[in-house]
Amino acid sequence: MEMETISTFAKKLWCVKKQLILFLTPLILLPLLFGLPEKEGKCLYVVLLMAVFWCTEALPLAVTAMLPVCLFPTMGILPSKKVCPQYFLDTNFLFLSGLVMASAIEEWGLHRRIALKVLKIVGVKPAWLILGMMITSAFLSMWLSNTATTAMMLPIANAILESLFGDLDTLKENCKVKDETEGELLSRVKLHALPSEKQILSIDGPDRMERSDGSTAEEIRTESEYQMKVWKGFLICIPYAASIGGTATLTGTAPNLILIGQLKSYFPECDLINFGSWFAFAFPLMVFFLILGWLWISFLYGGLNTRLCVKKQDERAQAEAKAEAVIDEDYRKLGPINFAEGAIAFFFILFAVLLFTRDPKFVTGWSTFFNKGYVSDATTGVIIVSILFFFPSQKPSLSWWFDSRAPNTPYVPLLSWKKAQECVPWNIILLLGGGFAMAKGCEESGLAAWIGAYLQPIAQVPPAVAVMFITAFLACFTEFASNTATIIIFLPVIAELAMFVKVNPLYFMIPATTGCSFAFMLPVSTPPNSIAFASGHLLVKDMVKTGFVMNILGILSVSLAMNTWGRAMFSLETYPDWARPVNMSSTVTDIQFPSVPPFNLTSL
């Protein structure tokens, strides 16, 4: 009876866990206000309070992000007139313009045409099809949200897989493993299934392939197990590729924008990071990591095996033909590219080209035609997306004005404000603003410098090793917390650490930013992981096994990039003038990087 009472009480507590966190956390953190220097203690109190609320989601992320507006002024940390502008810096406008462009692409289905075209090109062999899925997902997530990319690609993958391997329920029946434990069965989470591939693609595909009469039960079971492995590989590669692809552009994922915003706050003289220079650094890193990820997933899930469905060549060809029919039929139903799709494609390319060429650093950009420092990436983005709200979605015709019988159809622009309001995640913009406000508070209160002073032992670690440690730590931390919240919390401390040990701040801050996007091990790590897991075909152990190696590959890839082309692009071997405090002597000795060859990472 006593145990039952305790169990009931524990369940009651679990039901009100968020309310308990909201009530108890401010009380538990109160000693910080009395045991630390006044301003630093108050700022640390707010930072830790927000960190707990973000990690536990006791409050919605966007609501937590607005806490500095009320807490910083009332606690005497920062006046309201300095806090509120942080919520709409030019970085936020760059992010907003990227989101509006993405909503226009989704509105007219251009992303779907791109995805199917890539899949037509790569073919239907498992390894190549996995590569095609990853390339498409990575490219789309450079411009669309990772979540939208994953939600669009998974139904396409399911349709192709059903054509290759037949009905999933039958496949599961054929590949039941005798030693499957009850615990593994219970670990399958029953979530709402994604829309079926037939609902999405509207394809009346051919019936699934019949097994040959000569197949034994053991052969059927073995081949079904192989097919289920490939199926899992397809499902797991899409969210991973979406997370990797988002790192390639500044607007691809929120942590990239947090980086540039905090750079402008901490180091106003630093102009090395913009859309073009970030792309020049991050795109090769993304491609390299994507190839490594493809090789690992293909190896782990059977995609590199030359066998497709069955051993006989005629049946293999039949399966390939069915999968190709799914892709070809859906692409055919899209019809020829219409005026609206062509217009969106044009403005999308113009959007990208203008952002790349504004100030790419390695050549003179078009921003030199204007007053220095007046035109930013946000200016470019807002100009292009503003055009979308009045540019016609139908081809204009001069004869329409003189034809009395022509229908007087209403004018429809490429994008309406109502559609933009529905598609743009405004909560993320508030989250970005909360991050910038927190960074401003840490800087003005001296909290970041105070924390940096306690990180002296790290000064003894070689910078290249510190890069790997920072990337690994944040990649692990972001498995349990939002990547945006993670980078908001740690980037000010990392910037202060870099200044304390006299290392170029970019050498620590860039790996930290990219590492926050490498959350591969758990379903709850990112929304794309959750969407793939919600299909019901993946186990937690599948994601942990695959994601652990992906994290290692990501850490090594970032370390390689920082010590090779990143080192050359951003002059990472010297401590820059823009990172020196005004009162610091100009005779600070530049940090010397390890003399080992950049590629010899195993010696670190």
Side-chain angles (χ1 to χ4, degrees):
M1 179 62 70
E2 185 177 344
M3 290 298 297
E4 184 178 346
T5 303
I6 295 174
S7 176
T8 303
F9 182 69
K11 290 178 180 178
K12 298 284 186 185
L13 287 178
W14 184 256
C15 290
V16 294
K17 61 183 184 297
K18 290 188 176 181
Q19 288 77 8
L20 289 174
I21 292 170
L22 289 172
F23 177 74
L24 294 177
T25 304
L27 298 178
I28 294 172
L29 296 177
L30 273 178
L32 295 175
L33 300 178
F34 307 102
L36 298 177
E38 182 181 4
K39 217 166 187 181
E40 290 89 336
K42 290 179 179 179
C43 188
L44 183 60
Y45 178 86
V46 176
V47 169
L48 291 181
L49 187 69
M50 292 176 67
V52 172
F53 288 172
W54 267 329
C55 293
T56 61
E57 296 190 29
L59 283 176
L61 296 180
V63 177
T64 302
M66 292 189 289
L67 289 181
V69 176
C70 57
L71 294 181
F72 278 178
T74 55
M75 297 180 72
I77 299 170
L78 208 61
S80 180
K81 64 181 180 181
K82 286 190 176 182
V83 178
C84 293
Q86 303 301 316
Y87 286 81
F88 250 96
L89 300 175
D90 63 339
T91 305
N92 300 70
F93 274 101
L94 173 61
F95 187 51
L96 177 61
S97 62
L99 294 172
V100 172
M101 176 61 72
S103 64
I105 292 172
E106 294 180 38
E107 171 74 2
W108 295 103
L110 180 62
H111 60 318
R112 188 168 184 77
R113 185 181 293 275
I114 293 170
L116 291 170
K117 187 63 177 179
V118 172
L119 295 178
K120 279 172 63 70
I121 293 172
V122 299
V124 293
K125 294 286 186 182
W128 294 117
L129 202 49
I130 288 175
L131 179 62
M133 289 286 180
M134 294 184 74
I135 290 174
T136 307
S137 300
F139 174 76
L140 292 176
S141 67
M142 289 165 58
W143 317 102
L144 311 181
S145 75
N146 299 349
T147 306
T149 299
T150 304
M152 184 203 73
M153 291 299 296
L154 278 174
I156 296 176
N158 281 328
I160 296 169
L161 289 165
E162 191 160 298
S163 297
L164 282 171
F165 303 138
D167 180 70
L168 181 61
D169 293 332
T170 305
L171 190 61
K172 286 182 176 180
E173 289 294 323
N174 290 339
C175 68
K176 281 185 177 178
V177 182
K178 294 179 181 179
D179 60 352
E180 188 174 34
T181 64
E182 183 180 356
E184 290 174 336
L185 288 169
L186 290 175
S187 66
R188 288 197 180 93
V189 178
K190 301 291 185 181
L191 299 175
H192 294 294
L194 292 167
S196 72
E197 61 283 344
K198 290 182 180 176
Q199 291 173 323
I200 298 295
L201 298 177
S202 301
I203 293 175
D204 298 324
D207 294 333
R208 70 181 185 88
M209 186 179 60
E210 297 294 332
R211 303 296 305 181
S212 60
D213 295 335
S215 298
T216 65
E218 179 63 23
E219 288 175 342
I220 292 174
R221 187 183 69 85
T222 302
E223 290 188 1
S224 296
E225 288 175 1
Y226 165 73
Q227 292 166 14
M228 276 301 300
K229 282 179 61 179
V230 174
W231 200 304
K232 287 182 178 182
F234 271 64
L235 295 180
I236 212 167
C237 78
I238 292 171
Y240 288 2
S243 296
I244 295 169
T247 63
T249 61
L250 276 183
T251 56
T253 187
N256 297 353
L257 292 163
I258 295 289
L259 169 67
I260 192 171
Q262 294 202 10
L263 275 176
K264 290 179 180 178
S265 175
Y266 271 86
F267 311 110
E269 300 299 318
C270 177
D271 62 349
L272 293 175
I273 303 293
N274 57 42
F275 197 97
S277 62
W278 178 267
F279 184 83
F281 165 77
F283 183 75
L285 170 60
M286 183 269 286
V287 172
F288 180 73
F289 187 20
L290 199 70
I291 293 172
L292 292 181
W294 168 62
L295 291 173
W296 166 240
I297 292 172
S298 296
F299 169 77
L300 188 62
Y301 292 100
L304 292 179
N305 195 309
T306 56
R307 184 175 64 173
L308 181 60
C309 288
V310 290
K311 297 177 180 179
K312 291 186 178 181
Q313 181 62 35
D314 57 338
E315 291 182 349
R316 180 184 300 174
Q318 182 184 4
E320 290 180 6
K322 290 178 180 179
E324 288 175 356
V326 171
I327 301 172
D328 291 340
E329 176 68 9
D330 196 51
Y331 191 80
R332 184 188 63 80
K333 287 185 177 181
L334 290 177
I337 188 168
N338 57 37
F339 180 80
E341 286 181 283
I344 289 293
F346 170 77
F347 286 118
F348 169 63
I349 294 171
L350 184 63
F351 176 80
V353 169
L354 289 179
L355 286 174
F356 293 150
T357 58
R358 181 186 67 84
D359 186 18
K361 302 302 179 185
F362 52 88
V363 294
T364 303
W366 56 263
S367 61
T368 55
F369 295 108
F370 302 91
N371 292 340
K372 185 177 180 180
Y374 274 55
V375 177
S376 68
D377 288 333
T379 309
T380 309
V382 172
I383 289 173
I384 298 300
V385 299
S386 297
I387 299 173
L388 302 179
F389 290 99
F390 66 82
F391 197 87
S393 59
Q394 301 291 330
K395 186 176 181 180
S397 175
L398 187 62
S399 61
W400 177 81
W401 292 93
F402 307 101
D403 187 356
S404 59
R405 292 175 297 178
N408 295 322
T409 54
Y411 172 82
V412 179
L414 287 173
L415 187 65
S416 66
W417 182 248
K418 181 180 179 181
K419 179 65 177 178
Q421 280 185 308
E422 293 172 355
C423 294
V424 172
W426 300 98
N427 60 320
I428 301 298
I429 294 177
L430 285 174
L431 192 57
L432 285 175
F436 297 147
M438 180 190 283
K440 191 70 174 177
C442 291
E443 178 190 2
E444 294 282 339
S445 68
L447 174 63
W450 182 81
I451 293 175
Y454 284 89
L455 299 175
Q456 186 174 1
I458 301 180
Q460 310 302 320
V461 178
V465 177
V467 165
M468 298 181 72
F469 172 77
I470 289 170
T471 310
F473 174 76
L474 292 185
C476 292
F477 191 90
T478 197
E479 298 287 351
F480 308 96
S482 157
N483 59 358
T484 306
T486 300
I487 198 66
I488 287 171
I489 294 167
F490 289 105
L491 204 55
V493 177
I494 291 170
E496 200 64 39
L497 169 64
M499 289 189 290
F500 183 79
V501 300
K502 301 300 180 292
V503 172
N504 190 318
L506 293 179
Y507 192 61
F508 285 174
M509 296 174 78
I510 291 176
T513 303
T514 52
C516 278
S517 296
F518 296 163
F520 303 117
M521 291 177 60
L522 296 175
V524 297
S525 300
T526 64
N529 288 7
S530 300
I531 292 173
F533 191 74
S535 64
H537 311 324
L538 293 172
L539 302 176
V540 173
K541 68 175 184 179
D542 295 325
M543 301 199 79
V544 172
K545 177 174 62 176
T546 313
F548 179 75
V549 176
M550 289 291 291
N551 278 359
I552 293 175
L553 294 175
I555 294 165
L556 295 177
S557 298
V558 170
S559 182
L560 175 66
M562 293 304 299
N563 288 287
T564 51
W565 65 88
R567 187 173 174 179
M569 284 182 61
F570 302 121
S571 301
L572 298 178
E573 69 277 1
T574 59
Y575 190 72
D577 290 335
W578 50 259
R580 303 179 196 272
V582 176
N583 60 351
M584 179 179 286
S585 171
S586 60
T587 61
V588 178
T589 305
D590 291 337
I591 211 69
Q592 295 298 317
F593 278 69
S595 59
V596 297
F599 287 92
N600 189 16
L601 296 177
T602 56
S603 64
L604 296 177

